Amino acid sequence: MWLVYQIIYIAIFVTSLYAFIEALRTPAPAFPAMDKQTKKLWVGLLGVATGLSLLAVASGTGMLTFLALIAALIFILDVRPAVRNVGRSEGPYGRW
């Protein structure tokens, strides 16, 4: 049973790390332009979520990791699609 929890904690860590990196890569003006709070808030929230999930992987216990997963999924499923294309222009031949 311990191995199953460890796999779940690793999956949550990878998800929250991905969301954290995507938040860092997104330009700051894109967040308020789409009414999605601020970049500082999302980077801070996802940084804490990534730290908590890494702690869960290292220690093998983590009640708060599911809160980290919720924060990461909100960013990935709601915020990222809204702010992804703000400020990016396509060339005359599309997205090349």
Side-chain angles (χ1 to χ4, degrees):
M1 193 64 162
W2 176 82
L3 182 63
V4 173
Y5 282 120
Q6 199 66 13
I7 291 170
I8 291 171
Y9 294 150
I10 290 171
I12 292 172
F13 171 70
V14 169
T15 304
S16 61
L17 181 64
Y18 173 74
F20 180 64
I21 291 171
E22 284 297 314
L24 286 173
R25 293 179 54 209
T26 305
F31 289 91
M34 299 305 291
D35 289 331
K36 298 296 180 184
Q37 299 300 322
T38 63
K39 180 176 181 168
K40 288 181 184 180
L41 176 85
W42 280 109
V43 168
L45 185 66
L46 293 170
V48 169
T50 303
L52 284 173
S53 59
L54 179 63
L55 186 64
V57 169
S59 68
T61 60
M63 291 279 263
L64 297 177
T65 29
F66 292 103
L67 293 176
L69 178 64
I70 291 169
L73 288 177
I74 288 172
F75 181 81
I76 291 170
L77 298 175
D78 182 43
V79 177
R80 184 175 174 263
V83 299
R84 182 180 358 189
N85 294 325
V86 173
R88 293 184 184 172
S89 62
E90 294 186 11
Y93 303 109
R95 300 184 82 180
W96 283 38

